[in-house]
Amino acid sequence: MFRIETRRASQTAKRAFTLVELLVVIAIIGILVALLLPAVQSAREAARRTQCLSNLKQIALAGLNHHDTFKAFPIGMKMKESNTAAESTWLISLLPFVEQNTLFDKWDFDEPANNVTTSIETSRAATIIDVYLCPSDEFEENPFRLLGPASAFGGSTNNGSQRGFHSGSSYAGNYGEGSFHVSNSQFPIKPNGVLFMTGPSATLRTGLHALAQSHQNLAPVSIRKVVDGTSSTLMLGEKHHSDPFFDSWTSSNSGFKMYQVSAWAWSGGLKGSAGLFCSSVAGINNSAAAFGGSQNFFAQDHRFNAWGSAHPGVSGFAFCDGSADFIADTINDDTLVSLSTRASADIAPESYK
C-alpha cells in the first residue's frame, strides 16, 4: 500500500509544471497575441471599410432614386423665409429612399422645430439611421443634445440650433469648391457641387454670399447639369468627428464639439451647413490644428469644411453615378477641386487615389 501511494505521488510530481516552464508558456502566449492582434484589428477595419462603402453606395443610389422621382437631386439644405430655420436637409429628403418611409411620413415640414424635442424618446431628429453612420466614425455620444442659442444652459450654446436631441451622420454632401459657413474672405463660396443650401430668404444673396454667387432660390441639381460627368463628380463623402484640438476650444466660439457638427435633421439656422456639407476648400483628414494651429474662426471653419474619416490614410466617397470608392488623404488639391465641381470642364483623372 505504501509503495502504491509513493508511486502515485511520484507520477503526480512528474506531471506538474515548473515555474520556468509556466513563464515560458506565458511568454509564448504573449508573443502569439502580439502577432495576432494587428491581424485581428486589420480584419475588423477591413470589415468596417466594406460596410462604409456599402453605406455610401446605398445613399448615392437613394440620391439617384430621388432624381428618378423628382428629376433632380435633393436640395442640400432648404431654408425657410427667415434664415433662422431650415425646412429640410438632403438627408431628410432621402429618408423614403433608405427605407425610412414611416419616419418621413411623420415629419413636420411646416414647423421643423416640432421634430426636435428635449426627450430622446420623442425627438424624431434623434432617430438613429444606421446607413448614415460609418462604423469607424467616433461619436462621444449619439444621439446628442444641442442646447440651442440660449446661454442659460451652463453658459454654452450651440449657435443657431433647435434645442433638443439630434442624431449624427458620418456623411456630408458635396457643396463644391467652398462650403457655405464662412467667416473669412479667403473662402470661396461657390455652390458648384451637387448638394448645397438655398431658399427664399433675402440673406442668401447678401453679405458674405456676395463673394461668389447668390444662394437665393437656386434650383436643385439635375444630372444634365453635371457636365463634368457623373463618374467624375462627387455626390457625398465622409466627415470625421474626432478632433481633440477642435473640442478643446470651440465651446467659446460656436458651442459645438466636433461630434455634434453632424445633425442630419438640422432645423436651426445657417450654422447647420457646417455639418451637412464639405468641400474642396480644405484638404482631407485635417485637424483644426492643421489650419494655423490657432484658436480662431479661420481654423474652425476650415475644419467644418474638411472631409475625413477614421480609416487609415483614406476617406470614402460616393459619385453621382452611384459608385463608391476610397480616396487617399494625399490627393492633389487641384484634383480634389476637379472632383468637387460639376461643370468646370475639368474632368478629374482616373488616378485620383
Side-chain angles (χ1 to χ4, degrees):
M1 183 70 177
F2 175 77
R3 290 180 180 177
I4 293 174
E5 290 177 350
T6 301
R7 188 179 299 114
R8 287 176 179 173
S10 176
Q11 290 173 346
T12 301
K14 289 181 179 178
R15 288 198 300 268
F17 283 103
T18 66
L19 179 59
V20 173
E21 289 173 329
L22 181 60
L23 291 175
V24 169
V25 170
I26 292 174
I28 292 172
I29 292 173
I31 293 171
L32 290 174
V33 170
L35 292 173
L36 290 174
L37 187 58
V40 171
Q41 292 175 332
S42 178
R44 287 177 177 173
E45 173 55 23
R48 289 192 289 262
R49 285 169 54 127
T50 299
Q51 182 60 54
C52 181
L53 278 188
S54 175
N55 291 347
L56 285 162
K57 187 173 184 64
Q58 287 184 64
I59 299 172
L61 292 176
L64 289 171
N65 287 332
H66 183 284
H67 190 286
D68 288 344
T69 303
F70 300 103
K71 308 308 177 187
F73 295 112
I75 290 292
M77 180 175 171
K78 186 176 182 180
M79 300 298 297
K80 294 178 75 67
E81 186 67 39
S82 168
N83 70 339
T84 59
E87 177 183 317
S88 182
T89 72
W90 66 281
L91 289 163
I92 294 173
S93 298
L94 292 186
L95 288 176
F97 304 99
V98 292
E99 300 182 348
Q100 293 291 331
N101 304 68
T102 301
L103 179 60
F104 184 81
D105 291 340
K106 294 178 180 177
W107 209 262
D108 190 338
F109 291 94
D110 295 323
E111 295 295 338
N114 291 339
N115 301 304
V116 187
T117 70
T118 55
S119 167
I120 293 180
E121 289 75 20
T122 60
S123 181
R124 299 179 192 123
T127 305
I128 297 291
I129 310 296
D130 290 337
V131 74
Y132 289 173
L133 294 170
C134 169
S136 291
D137 200 1
E138 300 173 24
F139 286 86
E140 185 177 314
E141 56 180 346
N142 194 26
F144 46 82
R145 186 176 184 178
L146 297 182
L147 303 178
S151 59
F153 291 82
S156 178
T157 62
N158 300 114
N159 194 321
S161 65
Q162 293 289 354
R163 190 174 303 153
F165 280 95
H166 293 257
S167 69
S169 170
S170 303
Y171 306 110
N174 170 32
Y175 206 99
E177 282 186 82
S179 186
F180 174 81
H181 186 261
V182 301
S183 62
N184 190 293
S185 61
Q186 296 183 48
F187 283 86
I189 311 175
K190 299 179 180 179
N192 53 6
V194 177
L195 302 166
F196 48 76
M197 181 173 62
T198 188
S201 174
T203 61
L204 293 172
R205 57 179 173 82
T206 59
L208 288 173
H209 312 284
L211 293 175
Q213 64 190 78
S214 171
H215 280 62
Q216 188 181 36
N217 293 325
L218 297 177
V221 173
S222 62
I223 285 180
R224 65 183 179 81
K225 294 181 180 179
V226 185
V227 178
D228 289 350
T230 55
S231 63
S232 300
T233 305
L234 300 175
M235 184 191 302
L236 66 141
E238 287 191 84
K239 185 179 183 72
H240 193 207
H241 295 102
S242 177
D243 192 334
F245 179 87
F246 181 95
D247 292 346
S248 69
W249 61 271
T250 188
S251 60
S252 63
N253 296 324
S254 65
F256 288 100
K257 299 298 184 182
M258 195 63 223
Y259 74 91
Q260 295 174 316
V261 187
S262 64
W264 61 263
W266 176 269
S267 55
L270 305 180
K271 197 84 170 183
S273 58
L276 292 166
F277 312 109
C278 287
S279 71
S280 59
V281 76
I284 299 177
N285 262 335
N286 281 314
S287 163
F291 306 115
S294 58
Q295 299 179 1
N296 56 51
F297 282 104
F298 178 78
Q300 172 185 271
D301 291 350
H302 268 79
R303 181 62 180 89
F304 279 159
N305 285 270
W307 303 105
S309 78
H311 307 302
V314 296
S315 293
F317 291 86
F319 293 79
C320 290
D321 64 350
S323 64
D325 205 346
F326 286 107
I327 294 178
D329 297 349
T330 54
I331 184 174
N332 178 274
D333 290 343
D334 292 336
T335 303
L336 184 60
V337 170
S338 296
L339 292 171
S340 300
T341 55
R342 67 176 185 270
S344 298
D346 54 359
I347 299 175
E350 291 293 328
S351 57
Y352 56 77
K353 296 184 180 181

